[in-house]
Amino acid sequence: MWPLFEGRTCLPTTNGSASCTVGGYSSYAVNVSNVAQIQLAVNFARNADIRLVVKNTGHDFNGKSTGAGALGIWTHHLKDIEYYENYRGSGYQGPAVKMGAGVQAFEVYAKGQELGFTAVGGEGKTVGVTGGYVLGGGHSPMSSLYGLAADQVLALEVVLANGRFVTVTEESDPDLFWALRGGGGGTYGVVTSLISRVYPKFGVTVSTFDFSTGKDVSVETFWAGVRSYLERFPTHADAGTYAYFWILPTGPNAFTFLMNPFFAVNHTVDEFSALVKPWYDDLHELGISFQPNTTYYDNFYDGWMAGFPLETVASSTMMTGSRLFPRANWDTPTSLNATLNALRATITDGFALLAFNMKAELQEGFTSNSANPAWRETLMHAITSTSWTNTTSDTDIMVKMDDLTKAVGKWRAVCPDSGAYMSESDIQEPHFQQAFYGSNYDRLYKLKQWYDPTALFYAPTGVGSEEWVVKSLDGLPDQNGRLCRV
Ligand SMILES: Cc1cc2nc3c(=O)[nH]c(=O)nc-3n(C[C@H](O)[C@H](O)[C@H](O)COP(=O)(O)OP(=O)(O)OC[C@H]3O[C@@H](n4cnc5c(N)ncnc54)[C@H](O)[C@@H]3O)c2cc1C
């Protein structure tokens, strides 16, 4: 997904005589099809003191599934999906699904469509549901209603660093059960499958539209339209909806707003229209014209297929940064203005905004877990990025990455006590322990020492990773180099 972490030794090229090396990819990988093979790979890497990397889809934004010279465990083909109409366990009785480690969002959603259930997975179509996604928290188009994907987990099967294969539940091992659900992928063991609670089918209204600065819409009018939207975030999230929107700088003093899409779970078109009416009224009053394309689907799968774009993988020369903006930023007009100004300043400086208006509260009766506490307060997960070309020098990439980290500093400044979502973040996030794990970090760190005393599992920005450094060959924060103790 991210050529940067490979060390850019092997970028796609039209030059047939170009040379390249494996770089930061694992030197060898076990294409696993059963648990015993994972146990053998874990024991072999531990006994031989070889770097070990767990890779599912390779989607991780921080290169956590990459590592030069490593032995890789590739979980992609563990595709079993089993549905239980009436599962009992961990204080829960009801429908649940068991998913192998390689199951991707589009696969479990399709199975749900066939058998009549809805699983809490990502908006991204190809994300590995049982891998880094759920282990890092996992936000979903259903999150405003049901919480994070990690909250849904009832049991996991895991190969530990000592090679033992265990079933982890609240009853069998509450500490590990807590740590695995949100503490990050590639940290405590190799999850071979997990069981998640699922929900009945429900209807959804999906709406897309856009508006831009132009002849009739001045820059100030555009931002007034954005402010009116921001004001509605608490109401929209509390109504159980999830909105994925972009604000793009399209030229000097030119901006476009894209709603892509507004995903209103459990809303008919009429209910959706009533929800957004105050915002739309403001837009009309401001003279901003827009043409929503709004459709009701009687099930999640069709709405999700129609609503979310298939996002680019494997061609990006870019890096991201992000922030979880807490509800407190909506408390007063002053704090809301500060939030808007921080976003506006970043976008005016040329950075695109991709953001989600949502909430992700732990539902009543659910077992608490190690997901970043900042998620529980959030009303907006905002992402921005920087990019370069295949020929940009390493020095210039580093400058761009530093600029990105500084740009996100404007967001940190308006919510310093919040954090960022580890799975869609900046690898250079300052004090990542606080940002990605919050008050859970100390407990997660202690559990890491207990379950993985030899630090077999290493992932950049993972729990305990501050004790290690990758001596990358080009000086960039990539995985193309030896992993050494600090
Ligand atoms: C196109 C795209 C769309 C996305 N959409 C969403 C979204 O809607 N919601 C959201 O929350 N996030 C989303 N993400 C972010 C995504 O959650 C992270 O990239 C996540 O790390 C992906 O997990 P993976 O297992 O697929 O990827 P990988 O890169 O293969 O793995 C990520 C991390 O998990 C570890 N890991 C993988 N499998 C296992 C396992 N079985 N046991 C233990 N550790 C394991 C790896 O070692 C690595 O540390 C998206 C990312 C992309 C690229």
Side-chain angles (χ1 to χ4, degrees):
M1 164 90 199
W2 305 94
L4 177 78
F5 299 114
E6 191 266 344
R8 302 200 310 154
T9 70
C10 203
L11 292 173
T13 172
T14 50
N15 174 3
S17 60
S19 59
C20 64
T21 70
V22 168
Y25 290 126
S26 302
S27 301
Y28 295 90
V30 187
N31 179 5
V32 295
S33 45
N34 61 45
V35 169
Q37 291 164 350
I38 297 176
Q39 291 177 293
L40 282 171
V42 163
N43 289 337
F44 178 76
R46 189 190 60 248
N47 292 334
D49 200 17
I50 290 171
R51 183 171 178 189
L52 183 70
V53 162
V54 187
K55 179 169 181 167
N56 183 14
T57 63
H59 277 26
D60 192 79
F61 281 44
N62 286 338
K64 285 176 158 180
S65 43
T66 316
L71 175 67
I73 293 177
W74 190 37
T75 60
H76 180 66
H77 291 112
L78 299 177
K79 295 284 192 189
D80 288 348
I81 302 178
E82 199 176 338
Y83 174 57
Y84 308 106
E85 257 179 49
N86 197 12
Y87 178 85
R88 282 164 189 259
S90 283
Y92 172 76
Q93 180 173 357
V97 66
K98 181 174 184 180
M99 294 174 280
V103 172
Q104 291 169 274
F106 69 91
E107 293 163 327
V108 68
Y109 289 159
K111 185 60 88 179
Q113 178 71 349
E114 181 194 326
L115 300 181
F117 68 85
T118 310
V120 176
E123 55 79 15
K125 297 200 151 117
T126 51
V127 174
V129 186
T130 307
Y133 166 77
V134 79
L135 303 177
H139 68 84
S140 163
M142 273 87 73
S143 283
S144 297
L145 214 53
Y146 301 129
L148 295 170
D151 304 346
Q152 317 304 322
V153 176
L154 301 163
L156 307 97
E157 290 182 317
V158 188
V159 175
L160 299 174
N162 62 12
R164 281 183 57 221
F165 178 54
V166 293
T167 299
V168 184
T169 63
E170 174 69 6
E171 293 74 33
S172 77
D173 190 339
D175 280 334
L176 189 56
F177 188 57
W178 177 83
L180 283 167
R181 295 171 305 133
T187 306
Y188 294 97
V190 186
V191 173
T192 63
S193 73
L194 57 79
I195 297 176
S196 267
R197 63 174 88 202
V198 292
Y199 298 90
K201 280 193 176 179
F202 48 74
V204 55
T205 290
V206 179
S207 187
T208 54
F209 58 90
D210 58 90
F211 60 86
S212 302
T213 50
K215 198 162 52 65
D216 303 321
V217 181
S218 70
V219 170
E220 288 313 316
T221 304
F222 176 89
W223 285 106
V226 173
R227 192 189 193 288
S228 166
Y229 178 40
L230 231 60
E231 281 170 22
R232 326 275 165 211
F233 275 21
T235 312
H236 290 184
D238 289 342
T241 68
Y242 175 93
Y244 183 19
F245 66 98
W246 306 1
I247 304 179
L248 308 173
T250 49
N253 280 322
F255 304 96
T256 290
F257 177 97
L258 292 173
M259 179 56 76
N260 199 25
F262 200 119
F263 201 79
V265 170
N266 270 344
H267 281 66
T268 62
V269 171
D270 284 350
E271 287 163 345
F272 166 75
S273 302
L275 182 71
V276 294
K277 187 173 181 304
W279 177 32
Y280 285 7
D281 285 349
D282 277 359
L283 293 179
H284 292 311
E285 210 163 292
L286 287 162
I288 297 175
S289 56
F290 59 101
Q291 301 242 300
N293 180 356
T294 305
T295 311
Y296 176 77
Y297 299 87
D298 69 3
N299 65 87
F300 168 80
Y301 183 76
D302 288 339
W304 173 77
M305 283 295 278
F308 291 99
L310 180 63
E311 290 154 318
T312 312
V313 289
S315 63
S316 323
T317 37
M318 62 179 287
M319 185 49 53
T320 54
S322 70
R323 196 76 187 157
L324 294 169
F325 287 78
R327 194 178 280 263
N329 282 37
W330 276 260
D331 277 355
T332 64
T334 311
S335 59
L336 190 59
N337 282 340
T339 304
L340 178 71
N341 290 340
L343 296 176
R344 180 173 170 171
T346 316
I347 300 164
T348 304
D349 283 347
F351 295 92
L353 171 79
L354 274 74
F356 301 85
N357 167 216
M358 57 177 288
K359 65 178 185 179
E361 293 166 358
L362 187 71
Q363 303 301 293
E364 216 180 306
F366 284 40
T367 326
S368 77
N369 58 33
S370 56
N372 191 342
W375 266 123
R376 306 309 184 187
E377 306 289 325
T378 204
L379 280 180
M380 175 171 62
H381 166 36
I383 309 176
T384 186
S385 63
T386 185
S387 64
W388 50 83
T389 70
N390 287 348
T391 55
T392 308
S393 71
D394 294 339
T395 314
D396 289 348
I397 290 179
M398 207 59 240
V399 170
K400 285 202 161 244
M401 288 183 64
D402 289 344
D403 285 350
L404 175 78
T405 307
K406 274 184 222 137
V408 178
K410 293 195 174 88
W411 299 1
R412 281 182 215 108
V414 292
C415 47
D417 300 327
S418 185
Y421 177 34
M422 73 169 83
S423 294
E424 294 176 327
S425 59
D426 180 358
I427 193 170
Q428 302 203 101
E429 177 70 37
H431 196 8
F432 75 84
Q433 296 92 335
Q434 188 279 329
F436 297 161
Y437 306 91
S439 55
N440 290 332
Y441 194 76
D442 289 349
R443 182 175 173 199
L444 284 167
Y445 181 84
K446 283 193 193 105
L447 293 172
K448 171 76 176 164
Q449 310 309 308
W450 176 257
Y451 287 100
D452 185 15
T454 62
L456 177 67
F457 298 107
Y458 162 84
T461 72
V463 173
S465 61
E466 62 271 39
E467 284 156 11
W468 297 85
V469 62
V470 174
K471 303 210 162 150
S472 83
L473 300 183
D474 50 21
L476 293 170
D478 64 40
Q479 294 302 309
N480 188 17
R482 288 182 72 88
L483 176 64
C484 306
R485 282 264 180 206
V486 170

